[in-house]
Amino acid sequence: MYDHILVGVDGSEESERAARYALELASRVDASVTALHVVESGALDLAEGSGEETELRQERAAVLAGIERIADEVGHAVEEELAEGDPATQLTDHASEADLVVVGRQGLTGLKRRLLGGVTEQVLHHSETPVLVVPDAVESFAADRLLLPTDGSENAELALPHAAELARIDDGTVDVLNVVDLTEAGGAFDAGGLRPEFVERLEERGEEAVEQVADGIRAEYAGADVRTAVERTTTTGAAGGIAAYVDEHGVDAVVMGSHGRGDLKR
């Protein structure tokens, strides 16, 4: 499934963490890796003849040297590629040539400006290739326990083959989770007034959704250890319910669709 992995790098700790994760994953599935470093359009032209030009060139060399060092440590080859333009656009364009894009949660742009995750968010929004986001707390690849949240939508099920593939790598466990958001179900002014029968139907629908996905994972990977759960939340919403489950159960990675039953463009 993952023959070619693209990782965005910019010299930040976040991108180096993402590069290590990508290389470790690639070494497990025998995939090629391309590390893409993007210099913003016109940056060298604007800095030409100044101290900033020297700094930009030194920064570029340092980025690539850092990736080579990580590749040597992991013991897996990496191909380096340079591009000029908007980082999110370039990553998205190059993503069409890859099976998986790996990015850090945030990074750097220009000389010193922090993106606060802007590039990652844009790549997630526009990429047709699956995107793996590596958070700050992760130091290396792990797939012992995976979480696949589902709301029963078709898009949520698109994540199913990826959960199965990642589980296959380390013979990991896949938890399939449905979060019943009682506040959303009842409306902002009726969060505590839902009839028990209605809540029971919501949970039954959640059970059907997780069992369907669990069967799908087993069909993809017969040896998968799959567990199912339906959790209620009244205060944090579905996203908060997922995050709480991750913390409580020591999940290594969350595998999910880009949207569910809500607004497709949101």
Side-chain angles (χ1 to χ4, degrees):
M1 176 175 276
Y2 305 128
D3 295 321
H4 182 202
I5 298 174
L6 174 70
V7 57
V9 297
D10 59 11
S12 65
E13 291 182 6
E14 292 84 3
S15 80
E16 290 193 351
R17 191 175 292 112
R20 181 177 297 278
Y21 195 102
L23 284 160
E24 290 180 354
L25 170 57
S27 70
R28 307 291 289 277
V29 298
D30 194 25
S32 61
V33 180
T34 297
L36 177 66
H37 177 48
V38 182
V39 177
E40 289 182 281
S41 296
L44 286 173
D45 292 338
L46 290 172
E48 188 174 358
S50 68
E52 285 187 346
E53 179 184 9
T54 300
E55 186 175 354
L56 277 169
R57 295 188 183 280
Q58 290 175 341
E59 178 183 299
R60 174 183 286 184
V63 168
L64 299 182
I67 300 306
E68 290 173 357
R69 171 183 55 78
I70 294 171
D72 288 342
E73 292 174 358
V74 174
H76 193 80
V78 62
E79 179 181 340
E80 298 156 351
E81 188 167 343
L82 298 170
E84 185 174 358
D86 173 68
T89 301
Q90 288 293 330
L91 274 168
T92 302
D93 289 347
H94 283 74
S96 62
E97 304 169 3
D99 302 304
L100 183 71
V101 180
V102 180
V103 290
R105 183 169 287 172
Q106 63 183 26
L108 302 174
T109 184
L111 292 177
K112 295 290 183 287
R113 298 197 309 278
R114 194 163 282 276
L115 280 175
L116 300 178
V119 168
T120 296
E121 183 177 354
Q122 291 180 61
V123 173
L124 279 168
H125 184 71
H126 295 291
S127 175
E128 297 292 332
T129 301
V131 179
L132 194 157
V133 180
V134 181
D136 297 347
V138 172
E139 296 295 337
S140 60
F141 173 78
D144 293 328
R145 189 155 192 178
L146 306 166
L147 175 62
L148 198 164
T150 180
D151 59 3
S153 65
E154 290 183 5
N155 192 77
E157 291 192 16
L158 291 176
L160 189 156
H162 297 278
E165 180 65 19
L166 291 171
R168 194 192 316 268
I169 294 172
D170 282 333
D171 196 22
T173 299
V174 182
D175 291 22
V176 183
L177 172 68
N178 175 264
V179 177
V180 177
D181 184 352
L182 297 181
T183 301
E184 181 182 9
F189 303 103
D190 194 30
L194 294 175
R195 294 169 62 96
E197 308 88 75
F198 180 65
V199 175
E200 187 175 318
R201 286 199 300 272
L202 290 175
E203 292 184 334
E204 288 175 355
R205 189 174 71 177
E207 291 286 356
E208 292 173 359
V210 296
E211 289 300 333
Q212 180 175 334
V213 170
D215 288 343
I217 291 173
R218 296 186 186 102
E220 293 275 346
Y221 172 36
D225 180 5
V226 186
R227 306 172 189 178
T228 61
V230 176
E231 303 281 347
R232 294 186 190 180
T233 180
T234 58
T235 58
T236 61
I242 293 169
Y245 193 96
V246 168
D247 292 339
E248 182 178 351
H249 296 277
V251 169
D252 294 312
V254 180
V255 188
M256 62 190 300
S258 59
H259 59 264
R261 293 188 180 278
D263 182 357
L264 298 188
K265 296 181 179 178
R266 191 167 58 205

